[in-house]
Amino acid sequence: MEECISVFDMLKIGVGPSSSHTLGPWRAAERFLKELKEENILEKTVRIKVDLYGSLSLTGKGHATDLAIMLGLSGQDPEYIPVENISKIIKEIEDKNEIYLANKIEIPFYFLQDIIFNKNFLPFHANGLTFTAYLLDKTEYISTFYSIGGGFVVKEERVNAKKKIQIKCDFPFPINKAEELLNYTIQENKLISEIVYENEKSMRSEATIHTELMRIWHTMLESMYIGCHSEGILPGGLNVRRRAFDMHQNLIGLANYKNPQEWLECIRTTEVKFRQILKWVSCFALSVNEVNAALGRVVTAPTNGSAGVIPAVLMYYLCIENHEAGEKEIKQFLMVASEIGSIFKKGSTISAAMGGCQAEIGVSSAMAAAALCEVMGGTPDQVLMAAEIAMEHHLGLTCDPIGGLVQIPCIERNTMGAIKAINAAELAMETDAKNAKVPLDKVVDTMWQTAKDMNSKYKETSEGGLAIAVNMADC
């Protein structure tokens, strides 16, 4: 189904650890509250029950799905909630056995009983959840949602998608496939980022686009900064020790700085031999995903589990490749990345529960490779080639998180995706794209076919691969 996808749909600010298992259910809870208000039954609600299905149930505990639902039902916004308040709100719900529904009315809520983990899958999508509101008059209001990856939430009838199709008709350059995008760049003699910008301007003002893109970047920069300056053990029971802190200490030395921007400037003065570059890129990626694993604020790009790839590659460009780069290049990078992500979402999937980790790290690597290629001077066909190379070498990647946590192998996987993205961009830059044998659209199709062929135990269920080869007890 064709739909309009904005930069700000693909790159969303939220709370970790998972876009499909945390941010999506949180947004679903918000939409359920909206339905209750529209039906004028919010104040008549005396109890809420939530049923989780499929992958949401199988790895929900490790992804804090239950916590996200409680926060969403409480009326909290994942984009703006102070992350330090999360544990306090959850503790109050658990201690009082009550929830402050929509931040308006208190009702009984026993989280161990009222959030039910069902292992069976609903037919429409692997990530299903059903909300039931019990009303004063003994009737019930039931609504089912599906978290389809990247924080996107739909109902089976996909009402919102129908609205977005209408918006797409208003785009000066409607895009469904990479070939269409390339044709626009030739027809208009524009870069990919310029085509994306024209589409965005049909939806919002230039000032808003600038402000929101920079807010996304500053959130990415802050997540890297926090991750590089936080030590200790990540929550969840695997006893995973944060590594970005020690790696960063060894790389940065005795530099003095007071904020993330000054930090960035200090990194520009550090040694840039090949090993140091590898370590910096890995450090940036690790830092974001350690913040994500600790329920910190990150940018879904295109998912939370793969949130470290794009910031790491953009930081690489700013700190290593181009010290003169600033807001112009940052916005350019983010717009290209988002468009590549939207092509994968339309033609395949960005949900690990549907396609394995190729749908998350693979897509994020393709997004980052394309964006890096453009800001380094690549032509539009080289940019698409960079995305194709990055994804081609992630095809078939499974999602098998140990303990259902976005930690092992997920955090390290972001470093691999970032390095592959840089390599893919360099390969594309050194290649005449007219000689490319595999167009991006073919890789998108192949990824979707691979996803459909993949055994469900490798699709974020923690029922295969590393998830069963390594037990929680071993950790």
Side-chain angles (χ1 to χ4, degrees), residues 153-184:
V153 176
V154 300
K155 304 198 77 169
E156 193 161 353
E157 61 269 26
R158 293 182 65 98
V159 173
N160 284 349
K162 292 175 185 175
K163 293 177 184 176
K164 287 192 172 186
I165 291 171
Q166 183 60 50
I167 297 172
K168 178 176 179 176
C169 295
D170 296 331
F171 268 15
F173 305 108
I175 298 160
N176 198 46
K177 292 183 174 291
E179 184 180 8
E180 294 171 346
L181 174 59
L182 182 60
N183 289 338
Y184 287 135

Side-chain angles (χ1 to χ4, degrees), residues 90-278:
I90 295 298
K91 189 173 187 307
E92 284 185 0
I93 295 171
E94 293 176 351
D95 288 348
K96 295 171 66 177
N97 292 320
E98 288 182 341
I99 196 164
Y100 202 35
L101 193 64
N103 208 25
K104 285 190 173 181
I105 60 168
E106 282 191 345
I107 63 170
F109 191 84
Y110 300 87
F111 75 99
L112 292 177
Q113 302 167 27
D114 293 335
I115 299 179
I116 302 164
F117 292 78
N118 303 280
K119 290 188 176 182
N120 55 304
F121 286 70
L122 297 181
F124 183 72
H125 192 278
N127 290 334
L129 65 165
T130 297
F131 294 85
T132 303
Y134 298 88
L135 309 179
L136 278 169
D137 62 3
K138 307 299 182 184
T139 60
E140 301 172 6
Y141 180 84
I142 302 172
S143 192
T144 298
F145 300 87
Y146 299 90
S147 179
I148 61 172
F152 290 89
V153 176
V154 300
K155 304 198 77 169
E156 193 161 353
E157 61 269 26
R158 293 182 65 98
V159 173
N160 284 349
K162 292 175 185 175
K163 293 177 184 176
K164 287 192 172 186
I165 291 171
Q166 183 60 50
I167 297 172
K168 178 176 179 176
C169 295
D170 296 331
F171 268 15
F173 305 108
I175 298 160
N176 198 46
K177 292 183 174 291
E179 184 180 8
E180 294 171 346
L181 174 59
L182 182 60
N183 289 338
Y184 287 135
T185 65
I186 296 168
Q187 170 190 309
E188 301 295 321
N189 192 28
K190 290 181 182 292
L191 298 173
I192 288 174
S193 59
E194 293 172 328
I195 295 294
V196 177
Y197 191 48
E198 291 302 315
N199 281 345
E200 287 298 321
K201 287 196 294 183
S202 72
M203 300 175 70
R204 48 184 62 85
S205 70
E206 293 185 32
T208 299
I209 295 168
H210 170 82
T211 299
E212 290 305 300
L213 283 174
M214 293 313 298
R215 189 162 73 93
I216 285 169
W217 164 242
H218 288 136
T219 303
M220 288 180 170
L221 179 60
E222 185 176 64
S223 66
M224 286 185 280
Y225 185 81
I226 291 171
C228 284
H229 295 83
S230 301
E231 55 184 329
I233 303 295
L234 292 172
L238 286 180
N239 296 316
V240 173
R241 191 176 189 279
R242 290 177 183 259
R243 282 185 284 177
F245 179 87
D246 290 333
M247 186 178 288
H248 173 259
Q249 287 291 99
N250 291 332
L251 288 165
I252 200 69
L254 300 175
N256 291 314
Y257 48 86
K258 297 177 182 176
N259 55 56
Q261 187 59 42
E262 288 184 10
W263 175 61
L264 188 155
E265 297 296 338
C266 283
I267 295 171
R268 284 176 165 170
T269 67
T270 61
E271 191 174 35
V272 289
K273 292 179 181 177
F274 182 67
R275 285 187 67 198
Q276 277 68 36
I277 294 172
L278 278 177

Side-chain angles (χ1 to χ4, degrees), residues 292-328:
N292 178 63
L295 277 73
R297 179 163 284 116
V298 297
V299 176
T300 299
T303 68
N304 281 34
S306 61
V309 176
I310 288 171
V313 176
L314 179 48
M315 193 70 161
Y316 158 81
Y317 175 71
L318 295 172
C319 293
I320 308 297
E321 284 295 326
N322 185 0
H323 289 190
E324 303 303 315
E327 292 184 350
K328 173 180 174 292

Side-chain angles (χ1 to χ4, degrees), residues 388-442:
E388 179 276 318
I389 293 170
M391 172 50 77
E392 185 179 325
H393 300 288
H394 281 95
L395 288 173
L397 187 62
T398 59
C399 180
D400 48 358
I402 297 174
L405 296 162
V406 189
Q407 295 181 21
I408 303 172
C410 320
I411 296 174
E412 279 184 0
R413 227 167 238 181
N414 280 262
T415 72
M416 301 296 112
I419 296 299
K420 281 187 181 180
I422 295 169
N423 197 13
E426 291 292 348
L427 285 172
M429 293 280 289
E430 294 298 323
T431 304
D432 184 345
K434 293 183 179 64
N435 297 324
K437 302 298 183 185
V438 185
L440 178 57
D441 287 325
K442 289 293 184 184

